Amino acid sequence: MPRPSWDEYFMAIAEQVSGRSTCLRRRCGAVLVKEKRILATGYNGVPAGLRHCEEVGCLRDQLGIPSGSRHELCRAIHAEQNAVVQAARHGTTIDGSIAYCTHQPCVLCAKILINAGIVEIVFRDSYPDPLSEEMLAEAGVVSRRVEPAVSVAAPDDGGVAGAVAEDTVL
């Protein structure tokens, strides 16, 4: 099996992080990386200690708010915002880092990433926001889309691939 590129590696981690999302509309994940080291991760969901949308329902659905508008009318925080917050809470400097995001950042996240000193954004799924794109370009933040990695299934080996013998020292 071929070794994944760094982009594929960190994007796969962002996808895994998105699995923690509690949003009923879209699962998003973000990973902040500098010099090939993970600094912080984030996923979209309500602030700590609040009831999840899975419990109380989606405020945006209840109010009939279409995707991509009125971001402030939502109980959740975006994945990119959560990653920046987690770095700040733990005293991790993210200036000069790369953000790997499952989705193209909205304008709110773009502004936060710009001010946090993110130098590049790598995303998988488009979420077109012309103002976000314009501001990132003006700030000199590189933003690029990568294609989803094609998963190649391993041949059926009877369940022994990756197995470790009981007497193997790890």
Side-chain angles (χ1 to χ4, degrees):
M1 178 175 352
R3 189 173 183 200
S5 69
W6 286 109
D7 281 349
E8 290 167 337
Y9 174 72
F10 291 122
M11 195 58 68
I13 294 171
E15 179 64 34
Q16 185 70 30
V17 169
S18 76
R20 293 279 308 151
S21 170
T22 58
C23 180
L24 301 175
R25 285 187 170 195
R26 180 177 286 117
R27 291 184 178 272
C28 301
V31 179
L32 302 180
V33 175
K34 187 170 186 179
E35 298 172 0
K36 299 180 181 144
R37 301 286 181 252
I38 296 172
L39 304 176
T41 65
Y43 54 88
N44 57 328
V46 298
L50 299 184
R51 291 180 298 153
H52 297 293
C53 299
E54 295 165 330
E55 298 173 50
V56 300
C58 176
L59 177 64
R60 295 175 63 77
D61 282 346
Q62 294 164 4
L63 298 175
I65 299 169
S67 180
S69 65
R70 305 292 313 266
H71 298 289
E72 75 280 6
L73 293 176
C74 181
R75 291 177 52 84
I77 182 171
H78 291 182
E80 301 91 334
Q81 296 167 2
N82 247 338
V84 171
V85 168
Q86 289 304 310
R89 278 189 79 173
H90 298 286
T92 303
T93 302
I94 57 174
D95 188 45
S97 65
I98 299 171
Y100 285 86
C101 308
T102 56
H103 295 75
Q104 185 175 5
C106 71
V107 69
L108 297 177
C109 291
K111 291 186 282 187
I112 289 169
L113 295 172
I114 291 167
N115 274 359
I118 302 301
V119 296
E120 183 176 359
I121 298 168
V122 181
F123 64 93
R124 183 196 62 209
D125 295 335
S126 292
Y127 186 81
D129 185 329
L131 184 55
S132 171
E133 294 170 9
E134 179 184 324
M135 292 181 87
L136 290 168
E138 184 178 342
V141 176
V142 175
S143 181
R144 61 187 173 87
R145 182 175 185 266
V146 295
E147 293 296 322
V150 177
S151 178
V152 179
D156 184 6
D157 61 1
V160 296
V164 177
E166 288 182 37
D167 60 328
T168 302
V169 178
L170 299 178

